[in-house]
């Protein structure tokens, strides 16, 4: 760990502990970052490695249905309207739920493409950043070659 970060942490914590000393219900903060690390209990849950097939089918159906709704609104020329904004939010939530279940990005992108969201602008409306799409393409062996592959 960089010394500067550790020193800044220690200085700020010592100042806070001195200023708050004697206050009701105040417990001094740990002055070392290792003490802080040990005191934190992460509450995050990892995504399952293999999704439940029945739940995955339901989630992908939801992604497809919400994707079709967004695609229809975009084809109808109702971009930047309230209905399209609500459809964007719904698609993003469905994609987030599918990802949390462990459904791979490539499967979700395929589902969205079949729903009518095949171009980069439509996928960006569904919450997919172009940089992420490029990274997925490179991970699948498409697009610009990686530096490691170019070195061989």
């Amino acid at each position: 760990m960089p010394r500067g970060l550790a020193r800044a942490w220690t200085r700020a914590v010592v100042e806070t502990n001195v200023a708050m000393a004697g206050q009701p219900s105040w417990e001094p903060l740990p002055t070392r970052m290792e003490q802080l690390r040990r005191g934190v209990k992460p509450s995050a849950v990892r995504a399952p490695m293999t999704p439940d097939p029945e739940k995955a089918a339901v989630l992908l159906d939801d992604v497809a249905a919400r994707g079709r709704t967004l695609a229809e609104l975009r084809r109808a020329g109702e971009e930047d309207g309230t209905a399209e904004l609500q459809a964007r939010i719904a698609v993003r939530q469905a994609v987030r739920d599918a990802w949390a279940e462990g459904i791979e990005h490539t499967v979700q992108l395929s589902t969205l493409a079949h729903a009518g969201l095949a171009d980069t602008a439509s996928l960006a409306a569904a919450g997919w950043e172009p940089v992420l799409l490029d990274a997925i393409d490179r991970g699948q062996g498409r697009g610009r070659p990686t530096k490691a592959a170019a070195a061989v």
Side-chain angles (χ1 to χ4, degrees):
M1 174 182 323
R3 283 190 212 160
L5 178 62
R7 288 179 182 159
W9 169 262
T10 302
R11 184 176 42 250
V13 168
V14 168
E15 289 173 5
T16 303
N17 284 341
V18 168
M20 296 298 292
Q23 297 293 324
S25 73
W26 173 254
E27 294 181 24
L29 297 170
T31 56
R32 293 182 30 226
M33 294 191 90
E34 178 62 21
Q35 294 168 328
L36 176 67
R37 184 192 66 78
R38 289 181 182 175
V40 174
K41 295 180 180 87
S43 61
V45 179
R46 295 184 72 183
M49 295 306 287
T50 55
D52 175 35
E54 292 175 1
K55 191 170 184 181
V58 170
L59 290 170
L60 285 176
D61 286 344
D62 190 35
V63 168
R66 293 172 191 246
R68 279 190 297 273
T69 302
L70 179 60
E72 289 169 8
L73 288 169
R74 290 181 66 80
R75 274 193 300 272
E78 296 185 29
E79 294 182 28
D80 301 326
T82 304
E84 195 225 358
L85 178 61
Q86 290 173 342
R88 283 181 179 204
I89 292 169
V91 169
R92 290 174 184 195
Q93 184 61 48
V95 166
R96 193 174 301 123
D97 292 344
W99 182 82
E101 181 59 29
I103 299 171
E104 294 181 0
H105 296 306
T106 53
V107 174
Q108 293 182 43
L109 288 170
S110 174
T111 302
L112 290 172
H114 288 301
L117 300 173
D119 60 285
T120 303
S122 296
L123 290 172
W128 292 87
E129 294 293 327
V131 174
L132 177 60
L133 295 171
D134 290 341
I136 292 171
D137 280 343
R138 283 193 302 275
Q140 296 295 317
R142 298 184 297 265
R144 187 178 53 170
T146 63
K147 290 180 182 178
V152 173

